[in-house]
Amino acid sequence: MVSIANVRAEVGQELIATGGGGIPHDGVMDTEELAEALAQLVLAGADLGELVAAIGDALDVHVAVTTTDGRERAARIDDAMRERISAAGLTDETGRLRVEWLGDRGGHEGQPVAGAHVHREPLAAPNQALGHLVAVAEHGMVPQQVVALQRAATAVSLWITREQAVSAVENKYRGDFLRDVFLGRAGTDDFVREHVVGFGWDLSRPSVVLAAQIDPQPTYQAPASAEDRRHWQERFANAWRQVAASVDRAIPIADFGSEVVAVLPAEDAEATAALVRRLVVAVAGDKGGGRRPFTAGVGRVTSSPSGLPDSYTQARRALEVGRRFRGPSTTTWFDDLGLHRLIAMVPDTEELRAFAHDVLGELAGSSEEAVTLRETLQVLLNTNFNVAEAARTQFFHYNTMRYRVGKLERMLGPVASDQNLRLDVAVALKVLEVVSR
C-alpha cells in the first residue's frame, strides 16, 4: 500500500535531484517530475498543508492557497514574510489576502512586497473558480518557476475538487440532521448530543442559534443568474465554516440553501455577544474579493437540543424584522426587538393585518398619502402629540401640522386625547412594520 510518508520521501528525492530544493543548478526545472510528484501526494491522501509545503520546498518560495475571496486555507509563509505582506497592505484586518489587488499571474505594482515578487495562479475546475495559489519569491521568479507554479496549481485544483466532492456529501448529511433537530424530529436530547459527536460538533453546552442570509441585490444592479446566486451561497457557507472552525471546530454550521445557520456556545452572555461580533466581522471583512453583504439574526439561549427549534425560529424572525427596520448588513438579537418581538411571535399573520386595518382604516393602505400620514402619525406619537415639536421634526409649518392632526382624528377618532385609542394606533403601526412586504 502506498503511504503518504513513502510518497513524501519520493518527492523529497525528486527535489534533491533538482538541486536540493528550488531551481536546479543548471537552471532547468523538470516541471513534469514536480507535477507527477504532487499528483502522487494528492492520490495518496495528503492534506492541503502537506501539498503546499511540498510546493514551497520545491520552488523555494512562500506559498498560500486561498479561497476565491482570499481567505487562507493553507500556507507556508514565515512570520517575517507575513509582516512584509501586511505592511504592503495586501491583507485586511481579518487576515484576508487581497487577491483582487493581484493581477492574473503577476504582482501588483501599486502594492509591492518590499524586495520580493508576488505571483498569483487561479485555481479552477471546469465552469468553477476554486481559489488562488499565491507565491512570494524573495528575488523575483524565473520562467521555470512560473511554469512549475502553473502545474502545481493543477495539482492543488485536483485536491480541492476531490475535497469538495467529499465535503458536499458530508455537509448535506450534517445539514439534513441539523434541520431535523430544528424541526424537533431528530430524537431525544441524549441521542442528538451523542450523534453530533461523530460530526465533530458539540451540543452538550448552552447554545444560541444564529441565522445569516445574503442581502438581496440592489435594484440598480442587473439580476444575477441562478448559477451566480448558487455560487454566492456556496462561498458564503464556506466562509462561515472556515471562520467558525478557526474559533471552535465544535460549532455546528449548516447551509440551508437560502441561509447559513450556526449553533454557537452561549455559556456567558458577554462572551456570546463578543463571539457573534467576531464571527460576523470576520465573514464580512472589508467586502473585497467578491464577498456579498449579509444580515444576521440571533435567537435566545437554550440549555438543551430540544430548545433549538425555538431559538432557530427566533433567529429567523430577528433576521427578517431586523432587516426591515434596521436595514441590510445588520445583526439583530431577538431579545432586542421590543414590541416587535411580541408581534413576531403571533403565528397568524393575516390576523395581525386585520387588526392593523381595523384600527388604522385607510391609513393601513399603501398609497403615497397613507404612507406620508403614517409617518406624521408616528412623529406625533413620539412627541406625545406636541404639535409644535412635531412640526419642527417634520419641517412643517405649525398650521400645516394642526391641519394634519385634524385630518388624522377624522380618520381615526380622538387619538390625541384618548389614551386607549392611542395605544391601539401605536401597536397597529408596529404591526404594519412587521407584516408589510
Side-chain angles (χ1 to χ4, degrees):
M1 178 179 295
V2 178
S3 69
I4 295 177
N6 291 338
V7 174
R8 189 184 297 112
E10 292 177 10
V11 173
Q13 291 300 318
E14 293 184 15
L15 298 184
I16 291 172
T18 64
I23 296 297
H25 298 309
D26 60 4
V28 178
M29 171 171 286
D30 192 334
T31 57
E32 295 301 328
E33 288 188 6
L34 175 61
E36 176 63 24
L38 294 175
Q40 290 179 31
L41 279 176
V42 173
L43 294 174
D47 62 29
L48 189 57
E50 291 173 311
L51 201 60
V52 166
I55 295 170
D57 289 339
L59 303 181
D60 194 23
V61 294
H62 299 271
V63 186
V65 172
T66 76
T67 59
T68 54
D69 58 0
R71 293 183 180 88
E72 187 179 294
R73 298 189 61 168
R76 177 190 177 275
I77 303 175
D78 62 31
D79 292 341
M81 180 55 72
R82 285 188 183 277
E83 291 181 4
R84 291 165 65 183
I85 292 173
S86 178
L90 290 178
T91 56
D92 70 7
E93 64 275 8
T94 66
R96 182 186 74 86
L97 189 63
R98 291 189 167 109
V99 289
E100 66 272 17
W101 287 6
L102 304 176
D104 287 345
R105 298 178 177 174
H108 180 79
E109 294 180 0
Q111 293 290 337
V113 176
H117 176 79
V118 182
H119 183 92
R120 178 178 69 85
E121 277 293 326
L123 303 173
N127 302 319
Q128 183 184 11
L130 301 175
H132 307 276
L133 175 64
V134 180
V136 184
E138 287 286 359
H139 304 292
M141 299 183 70
V142 298
Q144 292 92 333
Q145 283 175 298
V146 175
V147 174
L149 273 174
Q150 294 171 7
R151 299 304 301 272
T154 300
V156 175
S157 297
L158 175 62
W159 186 95
I160 294 175
T161 301
R162 186 195 64 183
E163 184 71 11
Q164 283 185 338
V166 175
S167 296
V169 176
E170 293 178 346
N171 290 334
K172 184 180 186 307
Y173 181 66
R174 293 172 179 175
D176 287 346
F177 186 79
L178 192 59
R179 190 187 296 274
D180 283 344
V181 172
F182 291 154
L183 291 174
R185 63 187 188 193
T188 65
D189 285 350
D190 288 341
F191 174 80
V192 170
R193 292 190 187 100
E194 293 172 4
H195 191 76
V196 299
V197 170
F199 302 155
W201 293 350
D202 183 3
L203 288 180
S204 65
R205 50 196 176 182
S207 304
V208 63
V209 176
L210 178 148
Q213 193 176 80
I214 296 175
D215 291 329
Q217 285 184 269
T219 54
Y220 59 81
Q221 290 184 357
S225 66
E227 184 177 3
D228 284 340
R229 291 195 298 271
R230 179 173 59 82
H231 287 158
W232 290 348
Q233 183 65 24
E234 288 174 354
R235 291 198 296 268
F236 185 52
N238 287 334
W240 274 98
R241 291 189 188 100
Q242 184 172 343
V243 170
S246 69
V247 176
D248 184 349
R249 291 188 174 277
I251 292 176
I253 297 280
D255 179 6
F256 286 174
S258 62
E259 63 188 359
V260 174
V261 180
V263 182
L264 307 179
E267 297 179 7
D268 175 80
E270 187 174 342
T272 303
L275 175 59
V276 169
R277 287 193 298 270
R278 178 180 175 183
L279 295 177
V280 168
V281 168
V283 173
D286 62 358
K287 305 299 190 296
R291 299 188 187 192
R292 306 298 305 180
F294 65 90
T295 299
V298 185
R300 284 177 169 172
V301 176
T302 178
S303 60
S304 64
S306 58
L308 289 175
D310 287 340
S311 186
Y312 172 58
T313 300
Q314 294 157 5
R316 294 194 67 187
R317 292 301 286 167
L319 189 161
E320 295 167 2
V321 176
R323 177 183 279 157
R324 193 170 299 144
F325 300 121
R326 301 179 180 180
S329 303
T330 54
T331 300
T332 303
W333 294 69
F334 184 76
D335 282 338
D336 291 342
L337 293 177
L339 179 59
H340 294 121
R341 186 181 80 198
L342 296 178
I343 297 171
M345 292 303 294
V346 177
D348 192 343
T349 304
E350 291 305 315
E351 181 62 29
L352 289 172
R353 286 197 178 94
F355 169 79
H357 281 270
D358 288 345
V359 174
L360 298 176
E362 296 177 44
L363 285 182
S366 58
S367 67
E368 183 177 352
E369 181 183 20
V371 172
T372 301
L373 283 174
R374 286 204 301 270
E375 291 175 355
T376 297
L377 179 57
Q378 186 63 63
V379 170
L380 287 165
L381 290 170
N382 293 343
T383 59
N384 198 28
F385 272 79
N386 184 316
V387 177
E389 186 177 348
R392 286 194 297 270
T393 300
Q394 286 209 298
F395 301 102
F396 288 161
H397 189 278
Y398 179 80
N399 290 337
T400 300
M401 183 58 71
R402 284 185 60 84
Y403 168 77
R404 289 203 165 201
V405 170
K407 186 172 184 178
L408 287 169
E409 292 207 311
R410 287 193 297 273
M411 299 174 72
L412 300 173
V415 66
S417 57
D418 187 330
Q419 296 294 328
N420 291 327
L421 176 59
R422 190 184 302 185
L423 177 60
D424 286 346
V425 167
V427 172
L429 289 175
K430 297 300 182 184
V431 166
L432 279 185
E433 292 177 347
V434 172
V435 301
S436 61
R437 297 293 179 182

